[in-house]
Amino acid sequence: MCATPVFRLESEFDAFLFAPVGEDGNGLTLSVLSALVRLDVDPWDEAAKLARMPGKKAIERLGALIATLPDGVLVGPAPGAIAVRLVGLLPRQVSRSVPGRPSISALVMSKSRVVAICAIILVCAVIAQWLVVQFEAPTIGTRAPASSTASP
């Protein structure tokens, strides 16, 4: 499962992810979302993958995932029959694989921008420090003016 927490308010996969798979051993409804999480699979990634697959392959893949749920977790029809119903809820024309996730190239570019900005700030700080030292520090070799009071 993805280690990065991702919060999504809306998704084109909501109808699929929140659809019931069946009942668990305790009589509670098990959704696709909870079933995939129990299998340690990122639900949004898997939904995007399934939506891009041809219908038959998506049904086979989802049926195989449902079949791998531990014994006693799912009570009901065969995994293949469940998969046929659920794959019908997937959007067919998915424009992007996972909503809200930046690409790796965007992450690399943002890191390089941060490094460049930090380098610019560091150079500015060094120049500012040099200017302060040049204009406020006493020059070496100058003496303080002699006292105007004479001693008797």
Side-chain angles (χ1 to χ4, degrees):
M1 183 154 195
C2 180
T4 306
V6 178
F7 182 76
R8 295 173 177 82
L9 291 175
E10 291 184 29
S11 166
E12 62 265 15
F13 306 117
D14 284 353
F16 169 75
L17 291 173
F18 295 106
V21 175
E23 290 187 355
D24 66 8
N26 297 323
L28 299 173
T29 302
L30 184 68
S31 69
V32 174
L33 180 77
S34 58
L36 291 175
V37 169
R38 288 181 186 197
L39 294 172
D40 200 26
V41 174
D42 184 298
W44 287 269
D45 283 342
E46 192 61 36
K49 289 175 190 175
L50 291 169
R52 286 191 307 266
M53 290 180 183
K56 187 176 179 182
K57 284 196 173 271
I59 291 168
E60 290 172 4
R61 167 77 178 150
L62 185 58
L65 284 170
I66 292 170
T68 61
L69 285 167
D71 290 337
V73 170
L74 185 62
V75 177
I82 297 169
V84 169
R85 177 179 54 83
L86 294 174
V87 168
L89 299 173
L90 285 168
R92 291 322 306 158
Q93 298 295 325
V94 178
S95 59
R96 51 193 165 154
S97 61
V98 177
R101 284 225 178 142
S103 66
I104 292 183
S105 62
L107 291 174
V108 170
M109 182 172 277
S110 66
K111 285 183 182 179
S112 62
R113 285 182 183 163
V114 169
V115 169
I117 290 170
C118 289
I120 291 169
I121 291 171
L122 180 64
V123 168
C124 290
V126 169
I127 291 171
Q129 183 178 8
W130 179 78
L131 289 172
V132 168
V133 168
Q134 287 296 326
F135 292 110
E136 290 188 10
T139 308
I140 298 177
T142 59
R143 295 184 182 187
S147 172
S148 60
T149 57
S151 51

